[in-house]
Amino acid sequence: MSKILVLNGPNLNLLGTRQPDVYGSETLKDIEEMCTAHAAPLGLSVDFVQSNHEGVLIDAIHAARGTYRGLILNAGALTHTSIALMDAIASVELPLIEVHLSNIHAREAFRHTSFIAPVALGQICGFGSQGYSLALDAMSAYLAEAHKE
Ligand code: DQA
């Protein structure tokens, strides 16, 4: 089984009660359980890290090398500000898929810029919690293809 690390950034621990009109009513625990269930038939196992601290996320990305085959990241607001996260992702050379619950391109202009997108395989946004399942599907397909080479 290939191991995937799902990382969630600032304020995503508050899902369920945080602006449910924007982010939905599921908690992060609900999303993690859904990811675990969705990953199993894909032959993936998932671990989760959530932190409100940029450095903790960077350390987790560094530590993923050698253990995880891929990363799924919702960096929250750090998406729009963190060159350090972008550099960490580029440094470890692990495939990463960027996820957002909301459609960041349909929101305030400051959310339209992502420092994660240039170092990601791709970005999934606007599909709520389903975005994490879509990311697992995409990662599974990517790893299967990469394995053939
Ligand atoms: C978010 C979008 C970001 O702009 C915001 O700062 C978040 C959540 C999303 O999942 O839609 O914290 O990443």
Side-chain angles (χ1 to χ4, degrees):
M1 269 212 172
S2 296
K3 281 167 74 81
I4 305 299
L5 183 62
V6 179
L7 293 147
N8 281 288
N11 302 307
L12 293 164
N13 54 311
L14 299 181
L15 286 178
T17 56
R18 175 191 182 198
Q19 297 175 273
D21 49 319
V22 180
Y23 298 117
S25 56
E26 282 167 285
T27 65
L28 189 57
K29 191 165 178 289
D30 293 334
I31 291 173
E32 290 177 355
E33 285 171 2
M34 182 268 292
C35 284
T36 301
H38 193 86
L42 296 173
L44 303 175
S45 75
V46 270
D47 290 328
F48 304 95
V49 169
Q50 188 280 327
S51 180
N52 295 322
H53 305 280
E54 189 176 24
V56 173
L57 295 167
I58 291 168
D59 287 345
I61 291 167
H62 292 177
R65 257 190 306 197
T67 302
Y68 294 97
R69 297 281 313 281
L71 307 172
I72 292 172
L73 171 66
N74 183 348
L78 291 172
T79 303
H80 319 299
T81 61
S82 181
I83 296 168
L85 264 180
M86 176 176 76
D87 283 351
I89 295 159
S91 302
V92 298
E93 294 181 343
L94 283 168
L96 178 141
I97 297 175
E98 176 183 0
V99 169
H100 301 282
L101 294 147
S102 63
N103 179 357
I104 56 174
H105 303 288
R107 299 182 64 195
E108 302 97 319
F110 62 82
R111 295 186 205 275
H112 299 177
T113 300
S114 168
F115 283 103
I116 308 304
V119 289
L121 292 177
Q123 182 191 71
I124 296 169
C125 70
F127 296 101
S129 61
Q130 201 200 341
Y132 291 84
S133 313
L134 295 170
L136 285 165
D137 289 340
M139 185 62 79
S140 167
Y142 174 82
L143 292 175
E145 202 54 43
H147 203 68
K148 278 192 211 154
E149 285 160 15

